Amino acid sequence: MKKFKYSFAPDANARGGVEATAGAGISLFFLLVASVISFALEGEGGAVLGAVGLFSFLVSVYGFYLGIKSFSEKHVNHRYSIIGSMSSGILAVLWLGLFLLGVS
């Protein structure tokens, strides 16, 4: 007699969720690098660190968008969608706060 394996959990991950998690990782990496360089230069990083920060902010916002959009994918696991959208959203708010603190 043949045994069948039944699984109700989807095997594949949501593609947008994986991309959102990768975007959050990239944004976090740039945040740490920019923080270390800014600390080493005693706050005199200049336009290069500002450009890195702006790029990282845009990556985190795009990651948040991809994470939210990936919830509409059917029959996939949404674990990375949750992780990616939450971490990208937190990083976007953190970057926005740093920009507003620098402007004032």
Side-chain angles (χ1 to χ4, degrees):
M1 181 162 199
K2 186 174 182 180
K3 291 186 178 183
F4 294 99
K5 180 180 173 186
Y6 294 104
S7 175
F8 295 106
D11 292 331
N13 291 315
R15 182 174 164 232
V18 174
E19 292 174 359
T21 305
I26 292 168
S27 181
L28 180 64
F29 173 75
F30 281 135
L31 175 67
L32 295 176
V33 168
S35 298
V36 168
I37 292 173
S38 180
F39 181 74
L41 297 177
E42 298 174 353
E44 299 296 324
V48 174
L49 283 182
V52 168
L54 181 63
F55 174 73
S56 180
F57 172 69
L58 293 175
V59 167
S60 64
V61 168
Y62 185 64
F64 181 73
Y65 168 73
L66 284 176
I68 295 299
K69 187 177 160 188
S70 69
F71 283 111
S72 64
E73 296 179 28
K74 303 285 186 209
H75 307 294
V76 292
N77 193 348
H78 292 290
R79 177 182 308 128
Y80 287 110
S81 300
I82 295 169
I83 294 170
S85 60
M86 286 182 62
S87 56
S88 291
I90 290 170
L91 284 167
V93 169
L94 183 65
W95 274 113
L96 184 63
L98 283 173
F99 282 128
L100 293 177
L101 185 68
V103 169
S104 65

